[in-house]
Amino acid sequence: MEESRRRFFRIAAASLLALGAKPLKTLGGYGGGSFSRLGTEAPRRRWAMAVDLTKCREGCRDCIEACHQVHNVPDFGNPKDEIKWIWQEPFRNVFPAHEHPWMAREYRRLPVVVLCNHCDQPPCVRVCPTQATFRREEDGIVMMDYHRCIGCRFCVAGCPYGARSMNFRDPRPFIRQIDPRFPTRTKGVVEKCNFCEERLAQGRLPACVEACKERALIFGNLEDPASEIRQVLQNRFSLRRKPELGTQPQIYYLV
Amino acid sequence: MKLYDGGKILAGLLIFLGLLSIPLWYQFGKSPAAPPLSLDTPQIRSLAQKECIEPADYMRAHHMDLIDLWRKTVVREGFRVYLSSSGREISMSLSQTCLGCHSNKEKFCDACHNFSGVKPNCWNCHVVPKETI
C-alpha cells in the first residue's frame, strides 16, 4: 500500500513536470526565434506607401470610394459603428506633435489621408490572442485572417493609429454594392486595410493608388533602390505617424 | 423492496419509451434517399473534360478538407495556385473556382448540406455569385 502510494506520487510529479516543461520550451523558442530573425534575413519585398500632402486635393474622396467599393466596406451612416480602411483626419489629429498655432492655414485645415500603417513592429499582431492578425515576413503586409478573428478587439485597443474597426452589426445590408470577388465580413469581426494584398498578387497597384488622379499616393517596394518610392523618400522630407512609439510605420507623408 | 402499482408504472414507462423512440422506429430498416445533386450548369456543360479539382470520390468525401487547406494556404501562406494530382494549376478561390463551375449552389451545396444537417458558415462572408441554373 505504502509503496504503491509513493509510486503514484512520483509518477504524478513527473508527469506534471513534463506537462509544464513543454510550454516553457515553446515560449523560450518563440522569443529567441523572433529576435534572431530581426535584421538578419531581409525580406525580399517591403511594400510601403508615400502620401504627397502637397498634391492631395481638399474635398476629394476618390481613394476612399475606390477602396471601399472593391473591399465591400459597409457604410453604417454613424461614426460610432464606422468601418474605416482608408479615411481622412485633420492634420492636428494625424500629427499631434507637429501642430502649432502659427503654422500655415492650409496645413492646419488639410484633411490627411490615413490608413493602416503596416508597421514593422505591429502592436495589433502582438496582442492578437488567436494570431488572426499576422505580419507577412515576405512583404511586410500586416494581414487579417477573418476566419480566425474572435472579435475580442484587443487589436483595436492596441493600434495607436485607430486603423482597426469592429463590425458591431451585420455589415451586409449596409454595403452599397457587393463586389462578389471579395468577401464581406460578418458581425463580430475586426477589419482593416490589407494594402490590397489580393490585387498585389495579380500584379496590380492598390485600388486607392490607382484611383488617385493627382498621383498623390506613391506605392512601391522599399527593398528596390530604383523604385519610385525610394527615390521620392530620398529626395523629399517625409513624416511618419507617431514614430516615437517604435512601431516603424510604413506610410510616409511628404510635406 | 416493494413497488406499489408496479404493473402500471412499468407499463407506463414502456409506453413512454416507445413514444420517445418513435423517430427510430419510424425510419427503421430504410435509409432516407439522398437528394439528387445537380451537375447541370452551363459552365459544367461547356467543359470538354468533366473533372473536378480532384477525382469525384475524393471530392465527395474530402471537399471540406481541400477547401480548408486552400483557405490556409491562400490567407496565411500567400500561395494562390493549387497543383492538382492530375497536374492542373487551379486558382484557389471558393467563390470563383468552386462556384465558377457549380454555379447552382442551392441545388448542389445546399441540397446535401441541408440533408446531412451541416451548416457551414462560408457564406456569412463569401459572396455567392448570381445563380445560373
Side-chain angles (χ1 to χ4, degrees):
Chain A
M1 176 68 195
E2 200 57 32
E3 180 55 32
S4 70
R5 193 168 143 150
R6 189 174 290 169
R7 253 187 64 205
F8 171 76
F9 279 129
R10 210 176 286 153
I11 292 171
S15 32
L16 263 180
L17 269 177
L19 273 177
K22 206 184 152 207
L24 272 181
K25 209 179 131 207
T26 49
L27 198 71
Y30 179 74
S34 65
F35 280 119
S36 66
R37 224 185 290 129
L38 283 177
T40 51
E41 304 166 29
R44 284 177 289 119
R45 271 174 315 199
R46 203 338 168 177
W47 299 122
M49 191 189 284
V51 182
D52 193 337
L53 294 183
T54 59
K55 285 186 183 166
C56 199
R57 261 194 304 123
E58 206 175 329
C60 170
R61 288 176 52 87
D62 288 352
C63 52
I64 301 170
E65 301 289 344
C67 168
H68 289 190
Q69 170 66 49
V70 299
H71 292 122
N72 295 326
V73 177
D75 180 10
F76 290 112
N78 82 66
K80 215 177 115 219
D81 294 336
E82 192 183 3
I83 306 286
K84 295 181 287 195
W85 282 45
I86 176 168
W87 72 105
Q88 290 171 325
E89 291 279 354
F91 185 90
R92 63 170 182 282
N93 294 0
V94 181
F95 301 106
H98 291 280
E99 204 229 9
H100 57 77
W102 294 278
M103 74 190 305
R105 266 188 73 210
E106 55 266 33
Y107 269 128
R108 281 170 68 191
R109 297 178 46 179
L110 190 72
V112 180
V113 167
V114 286
L115 62 156
C116 169
N117 281 278
H118 296 276
C119 307
D120 270 348
Q121 301 287 331
C124 54
V125 171
R126 289 182 58 163
V127 296
C128 181
T130 60
Q131 293 179 12
T133 284
F134 57 102
R135 185 175 170 275
R136 290 211 306 211
E137 285 297 322
E138 67 270 21
D139 56 10
I141 293 184
V142 177
M143 280 269 292
M144 272 218 63
D145 183 348
Y146 301 115
H147 305 105
R148 276 206 194 185
C149 179
I150 55 171
C152 71
R153 285 171 284 150
F154 281 16
C155 56
V156 178
C159 176
Y161 307 106
R164 296 179 149 269
S165 315
M166 168 78 171
N167 282 286
F168 288 101
R169 305 154 75 183
D170 179 19
R172 278 244 172 123
F174 297 93
I175 302 171
R176 219 170 303 143
Q177 194 178 9
I178 293 184
D179 188 335
R181 285 166 297 179
F182 199 80
T184 69
R185 268 69 59 194
T186 180
K187 185 176 159 186
V189 166
V190 171
E191 61 182 89
K192 71 168 196 78
C193 156
N194 65 351
F195 244 9
C196 281
E197 169 269 338
E198 80 285 357
R199 291 166 65 97
L200 293 174
Q202 303 166 355
R204 296 164 74 195
L205 278 174
C208 54
V209 178
E210 213 173 78
C212 184
K213 292 186 205 82
E214 318 291 325
R215 292 193 31 83
L217 304 175
I218 300 152
F219 182 86
N221 178 11
L222 286 183
E223 294 289 320
D224 174 12
S227 64
E228 191 189 356
I229 188 160
R230 276 285 291 274
Q231 298 299 320
V232 85
L233 289 181
Q234 224 153 53
N235 297 328
R236 292 182 57 183
F237 180 68
S238 56
L239 290 172
R240 293 195 288 177
R241 293 179 72 192
K242 303 185 185 175
E244 68 277 10
L245 296 176
T247 56
Q248 300 294 340
Q250 297 301 316
I251 308 292
Y252 297 82
Y253 291 89
L254 307 167
V255 289
Chain B
M1 193 184 83
K2 182 154 170 44
L3 184 66
Y4 294 100
D5 292 331
K8 283 179 193 163
I9 291 173
L10 287 176
L13 270 176
L14 269 179
I15 292 169
F16 174 69
L17 284 177
L19 284 174
L20 201 70
S21 53
I22 270 187
L24 293 177
W25 298 115
Y26 196 70
Q27 287 288 342
F28 191 74
K30 39 184 176 174
S31 64
L37 296 187
S38 163
L39 293 171
D40 189 30
T41 68
Q43 290 85 347
I44 295 180
R45 255 178 266 144
S46 69
L47 285 178
Q49 195 191 357
K50 292 186 177 35
E51 191 194 44
C52 201
I53 314 293
E54 296 287 350
D57 278 344
Y58 177 85
M59 292 308 290
R60 215 166 281 137
H62 294 289
H63 60 279
M64 58 303 255
D65 301 327
L66 188 81
I67 291 173
D68 196 42
L69 180 78
W70 280 17
R71 172 183 96 184
K72 282 181 198 150
T73 350
V74 172
V75 181
R76 304 207 72 93
E77 319 280 338
F79 298 116
R80 282 161 191 276
V81 176
Y82 177 75
L83 189 67
S84 78
S85 56
S86 60
R88 283 185 302 153
E89 289 186 353
I90 294 155
S91 156
M92 293 189 270
S93 166
L94 175 68
S95 54
Q96 278 153 72
T97 305
C98 300
L99 293 191
C101 282
H102 298 289
S103 54
N104 52 349
K105 174 177 166 284
E106 254 170 55
K107 288 189 178 161
F108 187 74
C109 311
D110 295 351
C112 194
H113 288 159
N114 290 342
F115 169 70
S116 45
V118 183
K119 290 189 184 113
N121 51 12
C122 313
W123 318 109
N124 292 357
C125 295
H126 289 275
V127 182
V128 184
K130 274 235 163 64
E131 302 214 356
T132 49
I133 303 164

